[in-house]
C-alpha cells in the first residue's frame, strides 16, 4: 500500500467518518477510495474550524481531521490551528510537505517548524514505513491529556511510496487520570466548610462528560454554578442554582455571587486570564481542579489543587462530600436560590426593554431573544462569533442540554462561528446548528456558506448586520469621522441566495419570528439558510463594572 492509503486506512480504524480538506493532498483521494467522506471547503481555515467543532460536540469521542497541501495550504491554515490551540481543541492536522530534497530548505514553509507553538505534538514523517508509528503517536497525544491539535507532516514523495506489507495499527487508547486521594479529602473538607462557595465549570466537564456529577455536587453543596464560555451548557442555565455563564458580559447574579463568594471551585477549567472570561475577584480562596498541571498557579494562585479528569475528580469529591454531610443537606437551598432568583429578576427587568424592543433598525437583543424562544433549545447547537454578537448572546442564551452551546474566546478569530456550526451539523445532523455573527465576521469566512450548500450541510446562519464594526466605534472615533474606517457594506441575504442557499433580509420586528420559522423549515429540507437582520450599532453590554 502507498503511504497515503495507509493513512486513510488508519483514519478509518480510528473511527474517522469525514476527512475535511483542501487540495492538493493525496490523502483526500486515498480517503475517498477508503469510503471516508471527503468534504472540501473554500479555504483551509474554515475546514479546520469544522474539524474543531466535530471534536468539541462529541466530547473528543470523534476527532476532527483536516488535510491540506504543502506551501500555500499550510501557510493559510495557521489561523485555524492557532484558534484550536488557544481554545484547547483536539484535532489532527495532516499537511503535505515539500518533497524531501526541498523539505527543510528556505523559503519552503515547514509545518513541523512553524506549527510547534500551536500544537501539542508535531512531527515530519520522512520514511513511508514509519507512517503507522507517527499516526499512533499523533492519535495517542490527541486523545490523551490536555486536548490540543497534533500535526503529522508527510512530504509528497513519501505519500507516493510503498509501505512494506506487515504493518499493523491499533486505535490509540483514551486513558483517564484520577486525582490524588489525599488532596481530594482536603478539597472536600474545604468545599463543605465554605459558607458561600461558587462552582466554576470549564470545558473539561464536557470532555469528561461529567455533567451529571457536576449537577450532583452543586445540589449536594447547595452551591451556585457558573461556567466559562467554553464550558457553557455543562450546567443547565434554567436550573435554580445557575448563575449563567461567564464571558465578557455576564449576569448581575453571577457578578454578585462571585464578589461575595468565600471559595471558588474551578473544575475542568484553566482559569486563564482573558478578556472573554469572567475575572476571578481578588482575595478569594481558589480551588483549582484540572487535567493539566501547566495551568495550576499560572494566572491565579490556587490555595488547593487537584489534577485529573473532571469526571473522576467529581466522582471522588462526591464520595467524600457525601460522607461529610451524612445525608443531611444544610438547608441552604431555599435562601441561595431565592437570592439568585431575586437578582435574576432585577437583571432581566433591566434588559427586557432591549430584549423585546420594537425599534428599527432592530435591536440585536430582540433578534437573540426571539431566536431563543422560537427554536427547540434542547435540540439546537448555537455558537457566537467575535465582536458584539458574542457579548450580546452569551449572557442571555440559556442552554438546557450539554454540548448545545459552542463557546469560545481564548482567542477570538472573526468568522470562526460558521465552520463551527457546519462541523457541529456534520456530527449531529438531527440538531439545528446555528451561528450568530456580525458583518465584520462574515467578511472573513462568508464564502464558505457556499460549502454548506454544496456539501449539503444545512445550518442556520444568523447575521446581525449593522453595516459597521460597532464594537470598534469608541476606539476608532477619528478614523470613523475622517475616513469612515469602521463602515462595512454588503447584501448577505442576496449572497446566500446566489450560492444556492436560503436567504432573507429582515428589517421589521414582527418579521423576526416568522423568518426564523421559515429558515428552520428550509434547513429541515436540507437547504442552509442565512437570515440577515438589519440591526442597530448597539454597544450596550451586560458588563460589571459597566
Ligand atoms: C481575525 C480577527 N481580526 C480582528 C479582530 C478584532 N475585532 C473583534 S470584533 C471586531 C469588529 C466586529 O464587528 P462585527 O462583527 O460587525 O460586530 P458589531 O460589533 O458591529 O456588532 C474586530 C475588528 C478579531 N476578533 N479577529
Ligand atoms: Mg457589525
Amino acid at each position: 500500500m502507498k503511504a497515503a492509503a495507509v493513512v486513510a486506512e488508519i483514519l478509518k480504524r480510528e473511527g474517522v467518518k469525514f476527512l475535511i480538506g483542501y487540495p492538493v493532498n493525496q490523502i483526500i483521494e486515498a480517503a475517498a477510495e477508503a469510503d471516508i467522506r471527503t468534504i472540501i471547503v473554500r479555504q483551509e481555515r474554515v475546514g479546520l474550524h469544522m474539524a474543531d467543532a466535530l471534536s468539541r460536540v462529541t466530547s473528543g469521542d470523534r476527532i476532527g481531521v483536516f488535510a491540506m497541501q504543502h506551501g500555500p495550504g499550510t501557510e493559510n491554515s495557521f489561523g485555524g490551528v492557532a484558534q484550536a490551540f488557544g481554545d484547547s481543541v483536539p484535532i489532527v492536522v495532516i499537511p503535505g510537505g515539500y518533497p524531501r530534497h526541498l523539505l527543510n530548505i528556505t523559503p519552503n514553509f515547514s509545518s513541523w517548524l512553524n506549527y510547534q507553538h500551536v500544537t501539542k505534538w508535531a512531527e515530519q514523517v520522512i520514511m513511508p514505513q514509519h507512517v503507522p508509528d507517527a499516526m499512533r503517536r499523533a492519535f495517542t497525544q490527541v486523545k490523551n491529556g490536555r486536548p490540543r491539535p497534533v500535526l503529522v507532516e508527510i512530504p509528497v514523495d513519501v505519500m507516493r511510496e510503498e509501505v512494506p506489507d506487515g504493518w499493523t495499527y491499533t486505535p490509540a487508547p483514551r486513558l483517564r487520570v484520577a486525582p490524588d486521594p489525599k488532596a481530594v479529602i482536603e478539597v472536600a473538607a474545604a468545599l463543605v466548610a465554605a459558607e458561600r462557595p461558587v462552582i466554576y465549570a470549564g470545558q473539561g466537564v464536557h470532555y469528561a462528560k461529567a455533567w451529571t456529577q457536576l449537577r450532583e455536587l452543586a445540589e449536594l453543596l447547595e452551591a451556585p454554578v457558573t461556567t466559562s464560555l467554553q464550558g457553557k451548557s455543562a450546567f443547565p442555565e434554567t436550573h435554580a442554582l445557575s448563575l449563567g455563564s461567564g464571558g465578557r458580559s455576564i449576569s448581575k447574579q453571577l457578578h454578585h455571587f462571585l464578589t461575595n463568594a468565600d471559595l471558588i471551585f474551578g473544575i475542568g477549567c484553566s482559569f486563564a486570564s482573558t478578556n472573554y472570561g469572567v475575572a476571578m475577584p481578588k482575595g478569594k480562596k481558589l480551588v483549582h481542579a484540572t487535567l493539566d498541571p501547566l495551568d495550576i498557579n499560572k494566572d491565579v494562585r490556587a490555595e488547593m489543587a487537584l489534577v485529573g479528569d473532571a469526571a473522576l475528580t467529581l466522582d471522588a469529591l462526591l464520595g467524600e462530600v457525601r460522607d461529610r454531610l451524612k445525608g443531611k443537606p444544610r438547608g441552604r437551598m431555599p435562601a441561595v436560590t431565592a437570592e439568585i432568583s431575586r437578582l435574576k429578576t432585577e437583571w432581566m427587568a433591566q434588559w427586557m426593554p432591549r430584549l423585546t424592543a420594537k425599534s428599527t433598525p432592530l435591536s440585536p437583543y430582540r433578534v437573540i431573544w426571539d431566536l431563543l424562544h422560537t427554536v427547540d433549545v434542547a435540540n439546537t447547537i448555537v455558537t457566537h462569533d467575535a465582536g458584539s454578537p458574542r457579548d450580546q448572546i452569551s449572557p442571555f442564551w440559556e442552554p438546557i442540554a450539554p454540548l448545545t452551546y459552542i463557546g469560545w474566546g481564548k482567542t477570538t478569530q472573526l468568522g470562526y462561528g460558521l465552520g463551527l456550526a457546519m462541523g457541529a451539523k456534520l456530527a449531529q445532523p438531527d440538531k439545528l446548528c446555528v451561528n450568530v455573527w456580525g458583518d465584520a465576521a462574515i467578511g472573513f469566512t462568508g464564502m464558505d456558506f457556499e460549502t454548506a450548500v454544496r456539501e449539503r450541510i444545512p445550518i442556520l446562519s444568523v447575521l446581525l448586520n449593522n453595516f459597521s464594526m460597532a464594537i470598534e466605534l469608541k476606539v476608532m472615533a477619528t478614523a470613523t469621522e475622517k475616513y469612515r474606517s469602521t463602515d462595512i457594506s454588503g447584501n448577505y441575504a442576496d449572497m446566500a441566495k446566489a450560492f444556492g442557499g436560503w436567504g432573507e433580509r429582515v428589517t421589521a420586528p414582527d418579521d423576526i419570528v416568522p423568518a426564523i420559522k421559515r429558515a428552520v423549515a428550509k434547513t429541515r429540507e436540507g437547504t442552509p439558510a442565512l437570515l440577515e437582520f438589519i440591526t442597530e450599532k448597539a454597544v450596550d453590554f451586560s458588563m460589571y463594572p459597566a
Side-chain angles (χ1 to χ4, degrees):
M1 272 168 96
K2 301 243 188 292
V6 170
V7 171
E9 176 57 31
I10 289 171
L11 294 180
K12 225 172 152 173
R13 292 190 201 175
E14 285 287 358
V16 173
K17 302 266 185 295
F18 306 104
L19 177 72
I20 305 163
Y22 199 80
V24 176
N25 183 314
Q26 293 161 64
I27 294 164
I28 299 173
E29 184 63 5
E33 284 166 3
D35 294 326
I36 295 173
R37 178 177 164 195
T38 55
I39 292 168
I40 303 300
V41 286
R42 298 302 292 260
Q43 70 150 318
E44 289 84 358
R45 204 189 119 191
V46 176
L48 284 150
H49 297 336
M50 290 168 69
D52 172 324
L54 219 127
S55 300
R56 284 189 194 234
V57 302
T58 60
S59 297
D61 286 346
R62 290 167 62 189
I63 299 288
V65 182
F66 183 80
M68 69 292 205
Q69 86 152 75
H70 64 288
T74 54
E75 291 156 7
N76 201 38
S77 295
F78 205 86
V81 182
Q83 176 72 55
F85 182 81
D87 260 6
S88 281
V89 185
I91 53 171
V92 173
V93 187
I94 316 180
Y98 281 88
R100 276 168 293 186
H101 68 286
L102 295 172
L103 184 57
N104 296 317
I105 313 281
T106 190
N108 300 333
F109 186 91
S110 161
S111 289
W112 176 67
L113 275 181
N114 285 289
Y115 281 95
Q116 293 283 339
H117 302 292
V118 290
T119 55
K120 66 184 279 199
W121 185 265
E123 71 170 293
Q124 268 176 347
V125 186
I126 49 169
M127 289 190 283
Q129 62 267 38
H130 292 306
V131 160
D133 294 335
M135 296 300 285
R136 183 194 68 234
R137 285 188 282 267
F139 269 99
T140 303
Q141 292 304 318
V142 83
K143 287 164 130 181
N144 288 288
R146 192 212 194 97
R148 267 184 170 162
V150 299
L151 178 141
V152 181
E153 180 179 23
I154 309 179
V156 289
D157 53 334
V158 174
M159 297 241 208
R160 275 192 292 270
E161 285 186 7
E162 286 289 324
V163 176
D165 285 348
W167 67 272
T168 58
Y169 189 86
T170 312
R174 230 179 141 181
L175 307 164
R176 297 200 296 166
V177 186
D180 178 352
K182 215 174 127 238
V184 169
I185 292 170
E186 287 165 15
V187 168
L191 289 179
V192 171
E195 293 288 330
R196 291 185 61 88
V198 170
I199 301 175
Y200 176 70
Q203 64 179 335
V205 174
H206 284 316
Y207 283 102
K209 300 183 190 170
W211 311 296
T212 311
Q213 292 97 319
L214 173 64
R215 191 173 168 155
E216 273 172 25
L217 185 70
E219 288 171 358
L220 209 54
L221 293 171
E222 301 161 277
V225 180
T226 182
T227 69
S228 62
L229 278 183
Q230 291 79 357
K232 192 169 169 81
S233 81
F235 190 76
E237 291 191 19
T238 48
H239 191 291
L241 285 171
S242 175
L243 300 171
S245 62
R248 184 164 173 262
S249 50
I250 60 171
S251 72
K252 182 176 187 172
Q253 53 274 28
L254 173 53
H255 175 69
H256 173 89
F257 270 86
L258 275 184
T259 310
N260 294 294
D262 59 348
L263 180 150
I264 299 169
F265 172 57
I267 173 73
C269 69
S270 69
F271 278 132
S273 292
T274 164
N275 279 345
Y276 310 109
V278 55
M280 292 301 135
K282 298 259 177 304
K284 302 291 174 192
K285 186 179 208 167
L286 271 169
V287 179
H288 193 176
T290 191
L291 191 56
D292 190 350
L294 190 75
D295 282 326
I296 310 280
N297 278 334
K298 186 169 66 70
D299 302 61
V300 296
R301 198 184 71 80
E303 207 143 305
M304 293 177 176
L306 298 173
V307 174
D309 168 85
L312 294 179
T313 301
L314 289 170
D315 285 342
L317 280 174
L318 278 169
E320 286 296 331
V321 169
R322 275 197 200 100
D323 280 358
R324 281 175 169 68
L325 295 179
K326 300 184 171 53
K328 290 195 202 86
R330 272 89 50 93
R332 295 176 181 176
M333 193 70 94
V336 173
T337 54
E339 195 176 348
I340 296 173
S341 164
R342 177 178 59 80
L343 291 158
K344 187 173 177 180
T345 305
E346 286 173 19
W347 178 61
M348 288 308 288
Q350 185 191 332
W351 281 92
M352 226 30 162
R354 298 291 284 134
L355 293 161
T356 58
K358 291 186 171 64
S359 46
T360 52
L362 303 170
S363 153
Y365 290 100
R366 166 82 191 256
V367 176
I368 289 162
W369 190 248
D370 283 357
L371 183 68
L372 177 67
H373 294 96
T374 307
V375 302
D376 171 8
V377 177
N379 289 302
T380 298
I381 301 178
V382 65
T383 191
H384 53 244
D385 215 291
S388 312
R390 174 197 52 238
D391 307 326
Q392 288 155 348
I393 192 171
S394 77
F396 297 107
W397 194 271
E398 293 190 325
I400 50 182
L403 298 171
T404 56
Y405 190 99
I406 305 178
W408 46 278
K410 286 297 169 354
T411 172
T412 52
Q413 293 177 17
L414 283 164
Y416 185 21
L418 176 73
L420 290 178
M422 293 190 335
K425 188 71 183 172
L426 284 176
Q428 309 278 356
D430 297 333
K431 295 223 158 76
L432 171 69
C433 296
V434 187
N435 73 305
V436 179
W437 52 350
D439 48 331
I442 198 171
F444 281 78
T445 56
M447 198 69 199
D448 267 282
F449 189 80
E450 187 274 343
T451 299
V453 176
R454 177 174 37 84
E455 293 282 3
R456 304 174 309 282
I457 309 170
I459 56 152
L460 169 60
S461 211
V462 172
L463 178 69
L464 305 176
N465 187 2
N466 53 15
F467 302 103
S468 170
M469 297 187 228
I471 207 169
E472 312 300 355
L473 287 171
K474 234 193 228 164
V475 293
M476 290 172 66
T478 308
T480 300
E481 198 193 315
K482 281 192 182 171
Y483 305 116
R484 304 306 313 163
S485 301
T486 50
D487 286 2
I488 320 178
S489 63
N491 185 320
Y492 303 97
D494 281 358
M495 182 196 85
K497 285 188 265 189
F499 288 153
W502 176 260
E504 259 193 83
R505 185 177 259 201
V506 184
T507 54
D510 288 342
D511 292 340
I512 299 173
V513 170
I516 293 169
K517 287 183 177 160
R518 282 191 294 272
V520 171
K522 282 288 158 191
T523 66
R524 291 216 182 95
E525 291 167 17
T527 305
L530 190 149
L531 292 178
E532 179 187 31
F533 295 98
I534 305 304
T535 53
E536 32 159 312
K537 297 174 177 58
V539 288
D540 53 337
F541 305 114
S542 182
M543 286 168 71
Y544 295 85

